[in-house]
Amino acid sequence: MIYRLSKYPLYAKILIGMLFGVVFGLMAINLEWINFTNNWISPFGEIFIRLLTLIAIPLILVSLTKGVSDLKDTSRLSKMGLKTISLYIVSTVIAISIGLVLVNLIKPGNFFPEEQQQILFEKYSESVGSRKADAESLESKGPLQFIVDMVPENIFYSVSKNSLMLQSIFFALLFGIAIILLPEKRTQPVKDLVGSLNEIVLKIIAIIMNFAPIGVFALIASVIVDVAGDNPADSLSLFSALGMYGLVVIIGILIMILLVYPIVVSLITHKSYFNFLKGIFPAQLVAFSTSSSAATLPVTKKCVEENLGVSEEVSSFVVPIGATINMDGTSLYQAVAAVFIAQVFGIDLSFGEMLTIVLTATLASIGSAAVPGAGMIMLLVVLSSVNIPPEGLALIFAVDRPLDMLRTCVNITGDSAISTIVNKGWKKNNDNKPGQVS
Ligand code: ASP
């Protein structure tokens, strides 16, 4: 049986894991296996996320150093950097604009039952308080602080903290640039070492991915149990109260995945979007289950290289940076959530305030860590920029996790789409060998 299962492609195995997770989760709620799930199932999901996150920093360090040093000259690097960052900003602004148009057209705030407002405020006031403290500490910093924060003081400290991924990226870029600038003879031993470390990291990822179906099963089962909470009937009524808001976020996400990326990818790369989606599907499933672009990074990189034919040179640069700064799904959600909360509070936002949302949601999504729930903390920055009371966060708390799972899928799909676009026309040093992740 296990032998037969090993012949299925990765996405099929992950899908089977998910399906079992859903079935088990629903059974656990009905049969009240909540403690059993928390004690005996959830740890496997946590182990899977830990394994993926464990390899994210080594992957960034070796693959980015290798990618940059293979570029051979710094002008190629700055060209790729400029193209990547501009595309990331454009895609984020498009996502926010779609979110704003939808939320202003559908007005989900008008569908929100007033009596739920007080219930939600009481239920989530404590959680909002702790998120507020996190956001306030971020806000108290100056406008250029986010650039200062990218520069590491001590690389050993930076690599020991996953939340400082941008600092590891910065160091790997600097290290790679130094290699390019030195004569090849002097750096060849280091390049060989980095090359072989890269092979080892890729092998570790392949080993971890064997565990993906079980990890995904455990993650989905525990999310279902968590979201249902102690009182499934209560949770269901909250979900239906927030249904319209969730629907607007989901429509926006679908527009991004089924319209924006397909049009842009097929127009620019002349490749079939169906193949693009098929290639990235395993990473989308992992993003959905883990709610973390950082944890998904090893899988996203593997998928774009092996299934979409993006050269390692391009993917090593574009994907890790995208995982940390490009979050189209998160920015779309932040725009919808901010306006939804304003609508519930009866606050009319002017056109200027909408533009402020575009700007702050762009910055907030860049600043959001690639971990579960990070987008919600940064949403507080968007709310305060247009004077929406931060307590409004309590209104959307209940449905945040499922929406986080979906927006993380968009986040990694955006990174992958842009990596195929940057790859197009890029003079590759090495041959691409498109294959299958399995
Ligand atoms: N979970 C998202 C990610 O890792 C960030 C967020 O929107 O909360 O991409």
Side-chain angles (χ1 to χ4, degrees):
M1 163 80 180
I2 290 183
Y3 169 72
R4 271 204 224 128
L5 201 66
S6 69
K7 286 198 298 195
Y8 285 107
L10 179 65
Y11 76 87
K13 288 190 269 186
I14 300 181
L15 267 180
I16 294 171
M18 266 184 165
L19 203 73
F20 276 100
V22 172
V23 173
F24 184 91
L26 294 176
M27 275 170 61
I29 297 171
N30 284 309
L31 302 172
E32 296 188 7
W33 294 347
I34 312 294
N35 277 341
F36 175 81
T37 310
N38 288 338
N39 292 333
W40 295 95
I41 304 292
S42 306
F44 292 98
E46 205 176 310
I47 291 173
F48 180 53
I49 294 193
R50 281 188 182 213
L51 286 171
L52 286 172
T53 328
L54 161 76
I55 205 63
I57 297 268
L59 177 70
I60 286 174
L61 290 178
V62 295
S63 79
L64 201 53
T65 304
K66 184 175 180 314
V68 172
S69 58
D70 282 348
L71 286 176
K72 307 237 175 3
D73 74 76
T74 43
S75 69
R76 282 166 66 81
L77 176 67
S78 46
K79 227 167 105 189
M80 176 154 26
L82 203 69
K83 195 167 174 186
T84 305
I85 306 288
S86 327
L87 286 169
Y88 279 155
I89 294 178
V90 170
S91 69
T92 302
V93 171
I94 292 176
I96 298 172
S97 312
I98 290 175
L100 284 179
V101 169
L102 287 173
V103 73
N104 281 301
L105 273 180
I106 303 177
K107 298 197 188 330
N110 297 353
F111 294 83
F112 187 77
E114 230 169 85
E115 65 281 4
Q116 286 283 358
Q117 207 161 316
Q118 205 44 42
I119 301 175
L120 286 169
F121 282 153
E122 277 160 24
K123 192 164 171 174
Y124 294 108
S125 62
E126 218 173 282
S127 320
V128 171
S130 74
R131 300 295 194 288
K132 238 163 75 181
D134 288 346
E136 270 157 19
S137 73
L138 286 168
E139 258 184 300
S140 60
K141 297 173 173 177
L144 291 184
Q145 189 61 36
F146 78 102
I147 300 181
V148 177
D149 287 342
M150 278 180 205
V151 185
E153 274 183 304
N154 178 336
I155 188 57
F156 296 102
Y157 180 72
S158 311
V159 296
S160 71
K161 282 207 149 307
N162 288 325
S163 55
L164 299 178
M165 243 173 220
L166 268 179
Q167 298 194 352
S168 298
I169 291 179
F170 183 93
F171 182 76
L173 283 174
L174 201 59
F175 197 82
I177 291 171
I179 294 179
I180 300 179
L181 294 175
L182 280 164
E184 201 158 342
K185 263 202 318 223
R186 309 264 288 275
T187 53
Q188 200 53 49
V190 176
K191 283 178 84 172
D192 290 343
L193 174 70
V194 172
S196 95
L197 285 174
N198 195 37
E199 298 286 326
I200 296 170
V201 168
L202 294 180
K203 195 71 205 164
I204 296 178
I205 295 170
I207 298 171
I208 296 172
M209 287 316 285
N210 287 328
F211 182 64
I214 299 174
V216 163
F217 158 77
L219 285 169
I220 296 291
S222 27
V223 161
I224 291 184
V225 168
D226 273 358
V227 169
D230 304 333
N231 189 340
D234 229 23
S235 310
L236 213 65
S237 87
L238 272 182
F239 266 59
S240 51
L242 287 163
M244 222 32 173
Y245 154 71
L247 195 69
V248 174
V249 176
I250 292 171
I251 296 174
I253 279 171
L254 290 177
I255 292 180
M256 287 304 288
I257 293 198
L258 299 177
L259 278 175
V260 177
Y261 298 134
I263 293 175
V264 177
V265 166
S266 39
L267 270 183
I268 299 182
T269 68
H270 304 297
K271 283 190 180 153
S272 128
Y273 186 67
F274 178 72
N275 286 343
F276 170 84
L277 268 190
K278 198 171 148 213
I280 201 65
F281 194 48
Q284 288 179 329
L285 294 178
V286 174
F288 182 78
S289 321
T290 60
S291 275
S292 164
S293 313
T296 315
L297 170 63
V299 194
T300 315
K301 188 169 176 294
K302 192 171 156 74
C303 285
V304 297
E305 281 170 19
E306 297 184 12
N307 298 349
L308 305 177
V310 173
S311 71
E312 205 189 343
E313 202 174 62
V314 171
S315 75
S316 304
F317 182 83
V318 181
V319 178
I321 294 183
T324 33
I325 68 165
N326 181 48
M327 300 197 179
D328 299 345
T330 300
S331 58
L332 184 147
Y333 140 85
Q334 285 169 339
V336 174
V339 179
F340 167 73
I341 294 170
Q343 287 168 353
V344 174
F345 284 157
I347 303 172
D348 266 337
L349 295 171
S350 65
F351 185 68
E353 284 170 318
M354 293 290 171
L355 288 182
T356 308
I357 292 181
V358 174
L359 185 71
T360 46
T362 304
L363 296 176
S365 71
I366 292 175
S368 300
V371 295
M376 192 164 52
I377 297 175
M378 295 304 281
L379 171 61
L380 282 163
V381 177
V382 182
L383 295 182
S384 72
S385 72
V386 282
N387 296 321
I388 300 171
E391 286 67 29
L393 208 64
L395 300 175
I396 57 164
F397 226 94
V399 288
D400 195 66
R401 183 59 198 247
L403 294 181
D404 191 4
M405 294 161 89
L406 292 168
R407 65 187 188 243
T408 308
C409 284
V410 180
N411 292 347
I412 66 104
T413 309
D415 303 339
S416 309
I418 287 172
S419 74
T420 61
I421 294 170
V422 174
N423 189 62
K424 161 91 184 157
W426 189 255
K427 300 264 177 302
K428 284 155 254 167
N429 293 331
N430 306 308
D431 282 337
N432 275 329
K433 295 185 191 82
Q436 277 298 312
V437 177
S438 62

